[in-house]
C-alpha cells in the first residue's frame, strides 16, 4: 500500500521547494544562453514583463488548483472538473514533464560531470581549452549516458524519501548556499577588466535586436523559469497547509527567481565580454565561461568546485518537481509505493533520454527542422508545450473552476482584499490567454 498524503512542514519549506523547482537549469543554465542569443537587455526586459504579468498569475493559478483540490496534477483536474475534457490538462502536464526530464537530465549529467572534474582539479589550468572540454564531454557517449544515469538515480533516491524528508530538507539546505556562492561569482565577474561592456549588453535594452522568435523565447523562458505550464506546482501546492497565503508564496518565488536570473546575467555577461567570448555560444555558454571566470580568482579551483556542486544541487531541486508530478500521479491511489514508482519512472526517463544524450556525438547528424534531437526536444517543450499548457490552465480558470473556491484559496491565510483577487482573475481571463495567442500568431508570421 502507498503512504498517506504528506504536507510541507512550513511555508518557508514550500517556498524554497517551489523556488527550487524554478531556480536551477531554468535561471542559471538556460537564461544566460537564451538571453545571449536573443538580444541581451531587450530580451531580459521582455522576460521580466512576461514573468510579472503572465508568469506570476500562472503560478498563483497552479497553487490555487493544487491546494483547492488537495490532489496531484492529474487527479486535481479530475476532482475539479469530473467527467470532462479538462482532465486532460493534468495528463498533458505529465507527458510534458516526462519529455522535459528526458533532456533536462542530460544537462544534469553534464553538471554532475563538471562537478566531479572540478572537485578533482581537472578543469582549470594554464593551457585549458574550456570550449574543447565541453565538446569532448557532450560528444563522448559513455560520459553522457553515465552522467544521465547517476543524475536520475539521485532523483529517485530523494523522491523515495518523500516530501518532508526528501524534497523539503534538500531545498532548505541547498538553496541559501547557492545564493551565497552566486554573489561571490558576481562580485568577481564585475571586477574583471572590460566587464562594463557585458553589463551594457545585459541591462541596456536594444529592441532592434529582438525578433518575433525572440519574443516567443522570452515568453517560453518565463514559463520554464517558474516551472509553470505542466502543473508541477499544482502537485507541490496540494501539500500546502490551508493557513498559508498563496499570493505571498507566489510573489516570494517570483522575486527569488528574478533575482537569481539577474545574478546569472551579471555573473556571465560581464565575464563573456571581459574574457573575449561570444554571448551567442548557446547551451554550452555556462560550462565554457564559468571555468574561465574562476580561473581569474584566487583559489579558483576550490570556488569552481563548490559552485558546481551547489549548481548540481539546484539542478536537482528543479528535477525533483518534474519527477514528483509523475511519481505522485501513480501513487495517488495508494496501490503503488513511492519507492517503486520512482524507480520505474527513473528507468523509463533514462531510456527516453538516451537520444538527447547522444545528440552531440553519434547522433549529431540526426536533425529535425535543422535542430539536433536535444535542441528539438527543448524547443518543443519550452516554446510550444509550456505556453500551450499555460493557455489550457488559464482557460480552465476562466471557464471551468468554481469562482467561490478560487476566491477562498486566493484569500486564505492573508489580509488581501477581493480587489487583488479581481485583478488576478482579470489577468487570467483576458491578459494571459490573449498574450499567449498573440505571441504564437506573431511567431507563425501571421501578424
Amino acid at each position: 500500500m502507498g503512504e498517506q498524503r504528506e504536507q510541507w512542514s512550513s511555508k518557508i519549506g514550500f517556498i524554497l521547494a517551489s523556488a527550487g523547482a524554478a531556480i536551477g537549469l531554468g535561471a542559471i543554465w538556460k537564461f544566460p544562453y537564451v538571453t545571449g542569443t536573443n538580444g541581451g537587455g531587450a530580451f531580459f526586459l521582455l522576460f521580466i514583463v512576461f514573468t510579472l504579468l503572465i508568469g506570476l498569475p500562472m503560478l498563483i493559478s497552479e497553487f490555487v488548483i493544487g491546494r483547492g483540490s488537495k490532489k496531484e496534477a492529474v487527479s486535481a483536474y479530475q476532482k475539479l472538473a469530473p467527467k470532462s475534457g479538462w482532465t486532460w490538462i493534468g495528463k498533458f502536464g505529465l507527458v510534458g514533464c516526462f519529455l522535459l526530464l528526458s533532456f533536462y537530465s542530460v544537462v544534469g549529467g553534464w553538471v554532475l560531470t563538471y562537478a566531479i572534474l572540478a572537485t578533482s582539479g581537472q578543469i582549470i589550468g594554464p593551457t585549458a581549452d574550456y570550449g574543447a572540454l565541453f565538446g569532448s564531454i557532450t560528444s563522448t557517449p559513455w560520459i553522457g549516458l553515465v552522467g544521465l544515469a547517476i543524475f536520475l538515480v539521485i532523483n529517485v533516491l530523494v523522491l523515495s524519501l518523500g516530501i518532508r524528508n526528501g524534497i523539503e530538507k534538500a531545498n532548505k539546505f541547498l538553496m541559501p548556499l547557492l545564493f551565497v556562492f552566486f554573489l561571490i561569482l558576481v562580485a568577481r565577474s564585475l571586477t574583471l577588466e572590460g566587464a562594463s561592456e557585458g553589463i551594457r549588453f545585459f541591462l541596456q535594452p536594444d529592441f532592434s535586436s529582438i525578433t518575433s522568435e525572440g519574443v516567443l523565447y522570452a515568453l517560453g523562458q518565463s514559463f520554464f523559469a517558474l516551472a509553470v505550464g505542466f502543473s508541477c506546482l499544482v502537485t507541490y501546492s496540494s501539500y500546502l497547509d490551508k493557513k498559508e497565503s498563496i499570493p505571498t508564496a507566489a510573489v516570494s518565488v517570483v522575486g527569488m527567481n528574478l533575482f537569481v536570473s539577474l545574478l546569472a546575467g551579471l555573473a556571465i555577461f560581464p565575464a563573456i565580454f571581459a574574457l573575449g567570448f561570444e554571448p551567442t555560444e548557446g547551451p554550452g555558454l555556462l560550462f565554457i565561461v564559468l571555468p574561465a571566470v574562476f580561473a581569474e580568482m584566487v583559489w579558483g579551483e576550490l570556488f569552481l568546485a563548490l559552485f558546481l556542486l551547489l549548481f548540481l544541487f539546484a539542478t536537482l531541486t528543479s528535477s525533483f518537481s518534474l519527477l514528483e508530478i509523475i511519481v505522485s500521479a501513480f501513487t495517488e491511489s495508494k496501490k503503488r509505493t513511492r519507492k517503486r514508482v520512482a524507480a520505474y519512472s527513473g528507468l523509463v526517463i533514462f531510456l527516453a533520454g538516451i537520444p538527447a544524450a547522444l545528440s552531440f556525438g553519434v547522433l549529431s547528424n540526426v536533425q529535425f527542422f535543422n535542430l539536433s534531437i536535444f535542441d528539438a526536444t527543448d524547443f518543443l517543450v519550452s516554446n510550444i508545450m509550456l505556453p500551450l499548457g499555460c493557455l489550457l490552465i488559464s482557460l480552465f480558470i476562466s471557464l471551468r473552476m468554481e469562482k467561490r473556491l478560487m476566491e477562498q484559496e486566493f484569500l486564505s491565510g492573508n489580509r488581501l482584499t477581493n480587489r487583488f483577487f479581481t485583478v488576478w482573475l482579470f489577468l487570467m481571463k483576458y491578459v494571459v490567454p490573449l498574450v499567449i495567442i498573440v505571441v504564437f500568431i506573431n511567431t507563425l508570421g501571421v501578424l
Side-chain angles (χ1 to χ4, degrees), residues 73-148:
V74 175
S75 302
Y77 297 99
Q78 292 174 343
K79 180 179 179 180
L80 296 174
K83 299 179 180 179
S84 71
W86 296 108
T87 59
W88 281 96
I89 298 178
K91 296 172 184 177
F92 176 83
L94 199 68
V95 173
C97 284
F98 177 82
L99 289 174
L100 179 51
L101 264 177
S102 71
F103 76 87
Y104 188 109
S105 299
V106 172
V107 185
W110 298 346
V111 179
L112 177 65
T113 302
Y114 265 80
I116 293 172
L117 291 176
T119 304
S120 58
Q122 298 181 53
I123 294 183
I124 293 177
T127 60
D129 185 334
Y130 303 118
L133 174 63
F134 178 73
S136 175
I137 288 173
T138 56
S139 63
T140 304
W142 74 266
I143 294 179
L145 295 178
V146 170
L148 171 64

Side-chain angles (χ1 to χ4, degrees), residues 356-410:
L358 300 179
S359 64
F360 296 91
V362 296
L363 297 181
S364 59
N365 291 326
V366 180
Q367 301 277 312
F368 296 94
F369 303 102
N370 295 319
L371 296 173
S372 68
I373 297 172
F374 179 96
D375 291 331
T377 309
D378 183 8
F379 184 86
L380 172 65
V381 170
S382 303
N383 299 299
I384 304 297
M385 294 186 70
L386 274 176
L388 179 58
C390 288
L391 179 61
L392 293 173
I393 291 172
S394 69
L395 293 176
F396 178 78
I397 290 289
S398 303
L399 303 175
R400 186 63 176 84
M401 192 169 179
E402 185 182 344
K403 183 178 179 180
R404 181 192 58 80
L405 178 59
M406 291 191 290
E407 186 175 13
Q408 175 184 313
E409 291 299 327
F410 186 94

